[in-house]
Every structure is written in structure tokens, then in C-alpha cells.
Amino acid sequence: MIVAILSDIHANFDALSAVGAELARRRPARIYHLGDLAGYNAQPEECIRWAMANAAAGVSGNHDAVACGRATGRNFHAAARKAALWSRDRISPECRDYLSRLPVQRFIEGGALLVHGAPSDPGRYVDSIDQAAQELSTLFASVATGPIFFGHTHAAGGFVRRVDGRVEPVPAKEFRMLPGERALLNPGSVGQPRDRDRDASFLLFDTVDGTATWVRVPYDVEAARRKVLESGLPREFADRLRDGT
């Protein structure tokens, strides 16, 4: 069975609409998200409602926690907090309730685990081999028989711990976890990629043979940028869409 894993949509409905069209073409059995439906961009309501209608399940991101009032965002940098609070003030009670009910982790088919940031801490970034090695030694990694899908860094790819204990990076192309291995796989960001490729990113996971395949989808970046600028959100978020950083 093929499932789709999406992360860090961040209120970018132009990117999400393009990804949705690609998903309709590929027809995965289920869609899951790794959180951060809100924040940064200008259409949180539309993105959350899309997730409510199309995702089988998901987990909460740190921006979602602020947008539903579960967290204050005081540990965010100023512009990020402004955007998260902007989302909070513009989403409906139904969307706020949906965000408030998202768990911080969830197991799915194939023994895979969904988290937003790190298995040990949903707010922690995993963006180095040393950090990945630490996370792959946690209880959650030992319990997960399939890959751990994580987001938060907005960079597609991941890390694998080989049977001999070596931890290596996983390029965002195609990857199959072999028996005895453990892997952290990041689908990349739908709404604000930071790996210098501004196309929206997600991955497909075959729960039978354990293969993950990354997919990039072009979308109307300029339309999304205009909405950010017209909304009064910080300009830096429009620039990040343009630059993929």
C-alpha cells in the first residue's frame, strides 16, 4: 500500500493545491501530515480545512500549537511568532479545534512513526548526523519497525543507521530501509522549502516493501508571495518562497 507523507504546509495553499493535484494523479491509499499546517504564509484556514478533508491523520507542529492557543510561541523568533499569531487570529473555531486535537506522535502502517521534529522532542531539529544518531538510539526509534517520518527542518532527505551502526545521510530520491536498519526520513516542506529548491516537496511510502520516494511539485510561487505581502506578514517569508531557503 502506498501512503503519502506531507509536512510543513505552513498556510501556503498555492503549493498545497499543486501537491493535491499530484496526489489525485498518483492516488495513494492514505495521506498523512507531520504538522505545521499554519504559520508563515497567508492561507491557514484553507490549508487546515484541506487536511481535515483529505488527511487520514497527522501530528501537531510547533506553529499549530501556537495557532490553536496550546502554546504561546515565546521561544519563536519575532517574525515567526508574528506569523503564528496572525494564523491564530484568522482561523475558524473548527480549524482551531482540529489543531488542538492533533497528537505529537502517531504510528501508522508498516510500523512507521510520525513526528514533527525529533522523536525525543517535537520541537527539536534533526539536521546533522550526530543529532540523527542520538535520535535513532531513543526508545521511539527502537519501537518503530518502519521509518520515522519527521519534518521541522523543511529540508527533504534524512538519515539511516546501518546494521553495523554507521549513520549516513539519505538523499531525497528513493530509499529502501533494509532489515535491521533504522531511518529518519523527512518529506521536505510543501509550503516553505529550505533546501534551495523552491518546488513543493512530499514523499510516497510503500508500506509493503519499505520504499520511500520523494516527489517535487512546481507551483505558482509568485501568487503565494503576493498573498504574503498583501497580508502584511513579514516580507522575509515571501523572499524565502522565492529563494527556497
Side-chain angles (χ1 to χ4, degrees):
M1 182 171 68
I2 306 296
V3 300
I5 312 292
L6 281 59
S7 190
D8 296 284
I9 294 166
H10 278 300
N12 185 341
F13 194 60
D14 292 285
L16 181 58
S17 296
V19 166
E22 182 66 14
L23 291 170
R25 186 179 73 82
R26 293 179 179 258
R27 300 175 64 84
R30 292 190 181 91
I31 300 167
Y32 295 103
H33 71 80
L34 305 182
D36 275 0
L37 302 172
Y40 292 142
N41 294 297
Q43 292 182 278
E45 178 81 10
E46 292 87 343
C47 291
I48 298 166
R49 287 196 177 277
W50 187 96
M52 292 166 65
N54 294 283
V59 295
S60 176
N62 54 324
H63 289 255
D64 299 329
V66 176
C68 72
R70 199 162 59 189
T72 64
R74 294 194 184 281
N75 60 330
F76 286 21
H77 67 77
R81 184 167 188 263
K82 178 179 180 180
L85 294 174
W86 186 94
S87 283
R88 182 198 65 186
D89 293 342
R90 285 162 177 80
I91 61 174
S92 63
E94 294 82 3
C95 287
R96 191 172 296 111
D97 179 65
Y98 175 78
L99 295 183
S100 71
R101 290 184 286 105
L102 291 172
V104 296
Q105 59 183 234
R106 183 189 296 272
F107 284 94
I108 63 167
E109 299 88 348
L113 176 65
L114 309 182
V115 295
H116 178 66
S120 66
D121 180 349
R124 184 185 184 198
Y125 290 92
V126 181
D127 53 15
S128 72
I129 287 177
D130 287 345
Q131 290 169 339
Q134 292 174 13
E135 293 299 326
L136 289 168
S137 298
T138 65
L139 172 64
F140 296 116
S142 67
V143 171
T145 57
I148 299 168
F149 294 112
F150 74 105
H152 201 34
T153 68
H154 298 216
F159 305 92
V160 58
R161 187 180 69 193
R162 303 296 186 186
V163 176
D164 63 7
R166 289 178 297 122
V167 177
E168 301 174 341
V170 173
K173 295 179 181 178
E174 185 172 288
F175 170 77
R176 183 179 181 187
M177 195 171 76
L178 300 177
E181 294 181 340
R182 290 290 180 265
L184 284 157
L185 303 180
N186 192 323
S189 173
V190 171
Q192 196 198 72
R194 296 179 188 170
D195 49 13
R196 298 193 178 279
D197 181 341
R198 67 185 196 171
D199 288 349
S201 181
F202 70 97
L203 69 75
L204 298 171
F205 175 55
D206 187 323
T207 64
V208 176
D209 71 9
T211 299
T213 304
W214 280 262
V215 182
R216 301 302 291 233
V217 182
Y219 72 97
D220 191 341
V221 173
E222 291 307 312
R225 291 186 72 244
R226 283 195 302 272
K227 290 169 185 172
V228 171
L229 296 172
E230 290 168 359
S231 72
L233 286 162
R235 185 182 184 90
E236 66 187 82
F237 300 134
D239 293 342
R240 296 191 88 156
L241 296 180
R242 180 194 63 205
D243 301 332
T245 59

